[in-house]
């Protein structure tokens, strides 16, 4: 990794569990000495992003990986889709050195996870992070493909 920060051994397997739909999200944080990335919390599939916000550190950086489901209109049919977001959480109250380590570790950490994210995003407030998720909610009515077929 370009910053020299390495993920703990459980970081990649827990991400694999998220991809296997065991979790809705994972919050990764840095150790106090900034030498390791660790799993701080995993969220159950029943949780949504609003409940995840309660677990974000208010004054420290973190990585958030969130598995979002949404419906998208394709060929006049709503299809169930998912996107896995990779977000660098960078609140204003976090220390400058920790912000720099977050920024310099992002590419290496995402590569270590072995997954090609559509985009790596940054958020410094709950409202900014909420807008990332709402972009996909606004693509289609809140109905699943099964509900649309029943109409």
């Amino acid at each position: 990794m370009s910053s020299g920060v390495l993920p703990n051994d459980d970081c990649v397997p827990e991400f694999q569990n998220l991809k296997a739909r065991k979790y809705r999200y994972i919050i990764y944080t840095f150790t106090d000495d900034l030498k390791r990335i660790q799993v701080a919390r995993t969220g159950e599939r029943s949780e949504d992003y609003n409940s995840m916000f309660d677990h974000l550190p208010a004054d420290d950086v973190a990585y958030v990986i969130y598995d979002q489901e949404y419906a998208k209109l394709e060929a006049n049919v709503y299809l169930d889709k998912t996107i896995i977001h990779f977000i660098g959480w960078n609140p204003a109250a976090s220390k400058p050195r920790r912000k720099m380590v977050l920024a310099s570790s992002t590419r290496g950490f995402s590569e270590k996870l072995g997954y090609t994210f559509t985009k790596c995003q940054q958020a410094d407030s709950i409202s900014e992070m909420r807008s990332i998720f709402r972009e996909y909610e606004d693509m289609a009515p809140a109905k699943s493909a099964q509900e649309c077929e029943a109409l």
Side-chain angles (χ1 to χ4, degrees), residues 1-5 101 103-109 111:
M1 306 183 109
S2 55
S3 67
V5 178
V101 171
S104 64
S105 301
T106 299
R107 183 174 180 175
F109 182 53
E111 289 173 356

Side-chain angles (χ1 to χ4, degrees), residues 49 53 89 123-134:
Y49 58 79
F53 295 152
W89 172 243
D124 61 10
S125 67
I126 297 295
S127 62
E128 189 175 4
M129 193 177 289
R130 186 175 279 123
S131 70
I132 292 169
F133 301 129
R134 285 191 175 153

